[in-house]
């Protein structure tokens, strides 16, 4: 029979294995080329889970059966039952003999008492029933004892005694144990013989009854799990649950890897197509999260690099345009000026027209000078000189630039907060002075009223590991700029001034870039503007060292 059950178990095992194999084939074929990690992980989990679990389950079932066979035997159950029956039979015989003594009319009362004492009887009670109640009458009691109080038999119990369903019972009173033997006399009378039970004997009876109950449950369990095929079914279900859990865990684990990698792959394709606005917001952990973060940083750096390249390309293009415009403007300016000078000498006019004619010549001369200035600015933008790096203190640049504006068209006042602990480092003094001058000029133009304050600050920034940066802040509380203007402020020829060329901020940006620095603009309309310049001496030093190596110095 057990061999048959094992064969059934193996058949189910084969069916489960077949289903798992079909699922793995389906999973493998469903996976796209290059995306088979989920299938591999699932198959690996199933192999690692089922290969040890199947023989272990089979071994556990066989071992459980053998243990139950040893634990539960019919002989032991019979022995315990016989022991309990023997004890109960002994007390039953005492009870029946005591009943016969009480009913024996040939014996005198003294003889009956002597025999009952010999049997160690505690009490003999006659119970009779009428239409209304059940009455008790003591036929005998040990002279040293008092009648039991909790013997009371109701009508239902009386009827159970008459029909034989209640033959005897154990009762306890005052921590003493008694055996009650019930002997029906007729349908209306029952004799109850009460025999004291020794504590050890009572404990033995109780223990044997418990053992019999436990053995009975174990025996029923054994019969149900073996003959009912329950244990084999549990084994099959256990293996099936392991397989399902393996598939579920493998799916979760593989998805936590494949989904972020899939997103990363598609994002790489978008980046390859030129889309640098990609940002991966994927819930990933551990190494995958590091990979995603590195990708986002890479895209951000690429975007910044692209912006710089585009800016550089635009500036290079505009410099060429500026060079051509400067050339085209300068060429006719000189003959125009000479022609005006000669014309002024040669022209004859009436005395009353002198003022008008001089005014016309003056206007022409001023416009020619304006064109010359514009041409000079174009030329200067087109051929901005290479920086000449010398070691100096940036505070001296700020002081020198501010000194030029002690008197200015709006009587602007300057509030300086210069850090005396600034390090000396390499930079081009004249170019940096030009940066500060242009920023001060823009701030003065932006002031809404005379006597406003322009705030200039220098600061030493410690970044750690020996890296120290220098910050310069130029702040005004003028008309400010909106977001659209800020985005275009460094574009060549972009200006909001009526007489501006749009080259000032472009020149500033190029000078700061040449110094490996960074410039940012913060502004709000009608609230003012804050320009921040961050110079990095260590980068300038590296640039100079690289330049020296390239020149072979």
């Amino acid at each position: 029979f057990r061999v048959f059950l094992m064969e059934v178990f193996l058949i189910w095992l084969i069916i489960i294995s077949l289903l798992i194999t079909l699922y793995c084939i389906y999973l493998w074929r469903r996976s796209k080329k290059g995306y088979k990690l989920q299938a591999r992980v699932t198959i690996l989990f199933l192999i690692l889970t089922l290969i040890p679990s199947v023989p272990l389950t089979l071994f556990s079932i066989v071992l459980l059966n053998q243990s139950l066979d040893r634990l539960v035997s019919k002989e032991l159950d019979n022995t315990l039952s016989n022991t309990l029956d023997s004890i109960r039979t002994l007390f039953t015989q005492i009870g029946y003999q005591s009943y016969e003594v009480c009913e024996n009319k040939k014996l005198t009362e003294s003889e009956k008492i002597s025999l009952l004492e010999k049997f160690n009887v505690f009490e003999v009670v006659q119970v009779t029933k009428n239409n209304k109640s059940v009455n008790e009458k003591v036929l005998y009691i040990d002279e040293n004892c008092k009648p039991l109080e909790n013997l009371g038999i109701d009508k239902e119990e009386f009827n159970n005694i008459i029909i034989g369903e209640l033959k005897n019972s154990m009762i306890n009173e005052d921590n003493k144990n008694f055996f009650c033997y019930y002997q029906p006399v007729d349908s209306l009378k029952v004799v109850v013989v009460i025999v004291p039970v020794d504590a050890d004997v009572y404990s033995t009876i109780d223990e044997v009854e418990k053992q019999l109950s436990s053995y009975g449950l174990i025996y029923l369990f054994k019969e149900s799990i073996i003959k009912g095929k329950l244990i084999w079914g549990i084994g099959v279900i256990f293996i099936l649950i392991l397989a399902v859990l393996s598939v579920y865990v493998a799916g979760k684990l593989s998805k936590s890897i494949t989904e972020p990698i899939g997103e990363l792959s598609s994002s790489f394709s978008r980046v390859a197509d030129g889309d640098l606005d990609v940002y991966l917001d994927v819930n990933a952990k551990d190494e995958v999260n590091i990979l995603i973060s590195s990708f986002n940083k890479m895209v951000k750096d690429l975007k910044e690099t692209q912006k710089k390249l585009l800016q550089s390309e635009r500036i290079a293009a505009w410099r060429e345009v500026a060079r051509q415009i400067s050339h085209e403007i300068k060429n006719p300016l000189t003959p125009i000026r000479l022609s005006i000078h000669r014309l002024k000498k040669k022209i004859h006019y009436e005395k009353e027209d002198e003022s008008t004619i001089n005014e016309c010549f003056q206007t022409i001369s001023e416009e020619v000078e304006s064109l010359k200035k514009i041409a000079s600015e174009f030329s200067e933008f087109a051929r901005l000189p290479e920086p000449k790096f010398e070691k100096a203190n940036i505070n001296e640049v700020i002081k020198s630039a501010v000194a030029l504006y002690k008197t200015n068209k709006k009587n602007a006042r300057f509030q300086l907060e210069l850090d005396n602990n600034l390090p000396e480092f390499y930079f081009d003094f004249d170019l940096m002075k030009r940066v500060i001058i242009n920023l001060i000029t823009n701030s003065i133009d932006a002031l809404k009223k005379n006597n406003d304050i322009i705030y200039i600050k220098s600061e030493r920034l410690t970044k750690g590991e020996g890296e120290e940066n220098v910050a310069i802040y130029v702040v005004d509380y003028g008309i400010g700029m909106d977001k659209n203007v800020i985005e275009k402020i460094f574009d060549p020829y972009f200006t909001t001034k009526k007489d501006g060329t749009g080259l000032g901020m472009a020149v500033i940006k190029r000078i700061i870039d040449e110094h490996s620095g960074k410039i940012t603009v913060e502004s709000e309309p009608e609230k003012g503007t804050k320009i921040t310049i961050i110079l990095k001496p260590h980068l300038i030093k590296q640039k100079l060292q690289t330049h020296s190596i390239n020149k072979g110095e």
Side-chain angles (χ1 to χ4, degrees):
F1 179 72
R2 289 183 180 176
V3 173
F4 169 74
L5 289 177
M6 188 178 295
E7 290 177 354
V8 173
F9 173 77
L10 293 175
I11 290 172
W12 274 107
L13 198 60
I14 292 171
I15 294 172
I16 293 173
S17 301
L18 182 61
L19 291 174
I20 291 172
T21 303
L22 292 174
Y23 174 75
C24 291
I25 293 172
Y26 161 75
L27 194 64
W28 185 268
R29 289 186 175 179
R30 189 193 66 174
S31 302
K32 298 178 182 178
K33 187 177 180 181
Y35 294 90
K36 295 187 180 293
L37 178 62
Q38 182 179 356
R40 287 193 179 96
V41 172
T42 302
I43 293 170
L44 181 62
F45 262 71
L46 286 170
I47 291 172
L48 293 177
T49 303
L50 296 182
I51 286 181
S53 63
V54 171
L56 184 62
T57 302
L58 185 60
F59 174 75
S60 300
I61 292 173
V62 174
L63 183 63
L64 180 60
N65 281 332
Q66 292 177 352
S67 301
L68 288 173
D69 286 339
R70 293 176 183 176
L71 181 63
V72 181
S73 63
K74 195 66 177 175
E75 292 78 9
L76 182 57
D77 183 72
N78 291 337
T79 301
L80 290 174
S81 297
N82 292 336
T83 301
L84 188 60
D85 289 342
S86 297
I87 296 173
R88 286 176 174 169
T89 300
L90 176 61
F91 283 105
T92 301
Q93 288 176 351
I94 294 174
Y96 182 74
Q97 290 174 359
S98 300
Y99 162 71
E100 287 187 332
V101 168
C102 290
E103 292 294 318
N104 194 333
K105 298 184 189 251
K106 295 180 180 180
L107 297 175
T108 63
E109 286 300 319
S110 60
E111 288 175 335
K112 290 180 180 181
I113 291 172
S114 177
L115 288 171
L116 292 173
E117 288 177 350
K118 183 179 179 181
F119 293 152
N120 195 29
V121 174
F122 178 82
E123 185 179 5
V124 179
V125 179
Q126 179 180 288
V127 182
T128 57
K129 186 181 77 167
N130 54 35
N131 293 332
K132 294 182 179 180
S133 61
V134 176
N135 301 313
E136 296 179 0
K137 177 184 178 182
V138 177
L139 301 180
Y140 166 81
I141 187 168
D142 190 324
E143 60 182 6
N144 297 321
C145 302
K146 60 181 182 179
L148 294 180
E149 294 181 357
N150 62 355
L151 177 63
I153 298 174
D154 55 22
K155 285 186 178 183
E156 183 178 355
E157 289 177 336
F158 187 91
N159 292 332
N160 288 336
I161 294 171
I162 296 298
I163 63 178
E165 289 187 2
L166 183 60
K167 294 182 178 179
N168 50 59
S169 64
M170 299 290 290
I171 62 174
N172 180 280
E173 186 172 310
D174 297 332
N175 295 324
K176 294 179 180 180
N177 303 299
F178 300 93
F179 179 83
C180 296
Y181 171 76
Y182 305 106
Q183 178 62 50
V185 178
D186 53 39
S187 61
L188 299 177
K189 184 168 66 174
V190 172
V191 174
V192 182
V193 179
I194 300 170
V195 181
V197 180
D198 185 81
D200 292 336
V201 175
Y202 181 82
S203 175
T204 301
I205 294 172
D206 185 60
E207 187 64 30
V208 171
E209 286 179 341
K210 289 180 180 178
Q211 291 294 334
L212 275 173
S213 177
S214 299
Y215 269 81
L217 291 174
I218 295 173
Y219 184 77
L220 289 174
F221 173 72
K222 174 188 172 184
E223 291 298 309
S224 62
I225 64 172
I226 295 177
K227 290 186 178 179
K229 307 176 186 178
L230 179 62
I231 193 170
W232 300 96
I234 291 174
V236 171
I237 293 172
F238 174 71
I239 292 172
L240 188 60
I241 290 173
L242 279 180
V244 173
L245 283 177
S246 298
V247 172
Y248 176 77
V249 173
K252 281 287 187 182
L253 180 62
S254 59
K255 281 184 179 180
S256 68
I257 300 173
T258 56
E259 286 184 356
I261 290 178
E263 291 286 339
L264 191 62
S265 177
S266 62
S267 298
F268 267 115
S269 299
R270 289 173 60 187
V271 172
D273 293 337
D275 183 4
L276 296 181
D277 291 324
V278 178
Y279 179 80
L280 281 179
D281 187 13
V282 179
N283 185 17
K285 297 180 180 178
D286 303 326
E287 288 81 359
V288 179
N289 185 45
I290 295 174
L291 184 62
I292 298 296
S293 300
S294 300
F295 172 81
N296 287 333
K297 184 177 183 300
M298 179 200 72
V299 174
K300 183 180 179 182
D301 293 343
L302 282 174
K303 193 171 183 179
E304 291 294 326
T305 303
Q306 185 188 59
K307 284 182 179 178
K308 289 182 180 180
L309 288 174
L310 291 174
Q311 182 75 7
S312 299
E313 290 175 1
R314 283 199 298 268
I315 290 175
W318 279 114
R319 286 175 65 188
E320 180 61 25
V321 171
R323 186 185 65 78
Q324 294 179 10
I325 291 175
S326 175
H327 177 73
E328 295 297 328
I329 293 176
K330 276 186 176 180
N331 282 344
L333 285 182
T334 300
I336 289 174
R337 289 175 65 191
L338 291 174
S339 297
I340 291 172
H341 184 68
R342 291 173 61 189
L343 184 62
K344 189 175 182 181
K345 285 185 176 182
K346 297 290 184 181
I347 194 171
H348 297 283
Y349 49 83
E350 300 295 333
K351 189 72 175 176
E352 60 271 13
D353 296 329
E354 181 179 1
S355 176
T356 302
I357 293 174
N358 285 337
E359 186 178 340
C360 291
F361 277 118
Q362 181 65 29
T363 300
I364 294 172
S365 297
E366 288 177 356
E367 292 301 323
V368 168
E369 287 299 321
S370 177
L371 286 173
K372 182 181 178 182
K373 179 182 177 183
I374 292 173
S376 298
E377 288 185 4
F378 281 142
S379 177
E380 192 173 336
F381 175 69
R383 56 180 181 81
L384 194 66
E386 288 292 323
K388 296 179 181 179
F389 293 97
E390 296 179 353
K391 208 167 191 178
N393 192 308
I394 203 69
N395 285 340
E396 299 302 321
V397 174
I398 297 172
K399 292 176 182 177
S400 177
V402 171
L404 300 175
Y405 289 89
K406 286 184 178 179
T407 58
N408 54 79
K409 59 185 179 180
K410 289 189 179 180
N411 296 322
R413 295 174 293 140
F414 294 91
Q415 181 179 336
L416 302 183
E417 186 180 336
L418 305 181
D419 190 342
N420 294 325
N421 294 320
L422 289 185
E424 287 192 346
F425 62 95
Y426 289 94
F427 61 88
D428 188 306
F429 192 97
D430 292 333
L431 289 180
M432 290 305 300
K433 182 177 179 180
R434 181 174 177 180
V435 168
I436 304 300
I437 287 172
N438 282 355
L439 292 178
I440 292 175
T441 300
N442 290 342
S443 294
I444 292 173
D445 291 340
L447 295 179
K448 292 181 284 187
K449 58 183 180 179
N450 293 339
N451 297 316
D452 267 0
I453 292 176
I454 296 174
Y455 175 73
I456 302 177
K457 177 183 178 181
S458 65
E459 183 181 13
R460 181 177 189 171
L461 303 177
T462 303
K463 302 287 287 184
E465 299 182 1
E467 180 183 333
E468 291 184 338
N469 297 338
V470 173
I472 303 170
Y473 309 98
V474 179
V475 182
D476 67 70
Y477 304 97
I479 59 176
M481 297 174 284
D482 60 26
K483 185 178 179 181
N484 293 329
V485 174
I486 294 174
E487 289 177 352
K488 300 176 182 178
I489 195 169
F490 295 116
D491 292 345
Y493 306 109
F494 174 79
T495 181
T496 57
K497 300 177 183 178
K498 292 181 180 180
D499 57 348
T501 61
L503 296 174
M505 293 303 291
V507 170
I508 289 173
K509 181 70 167 60
R510 185 182 170 199
I511 293 173
I512 298 301
D513 288 342
E514 289 286 348
H515 284 76
S516 302
K518 182 179 180 182
I519 181 169
T520 57
V521 179
E522 301 173 60
S523 184
E524 287 187 44
E526 303 304 322
K527 290 187 178 181
T529 302
K530 177 182 179 182
I531 307 292
T532 302
I533 298 173
I534 304 295
L535 299 174
K536 301 180 178 182
H538 67 286
L539 293 182
I540 299 175
K541 188 175 182 180
Q542 290 176 8
K543 184 176 181 179
L544 291 176
Q545 289 173 346
T546 303
H547 183 68
S548 298
I549 292 172
N550 292 336
K551 289 179 66 176
E553 297 179 0

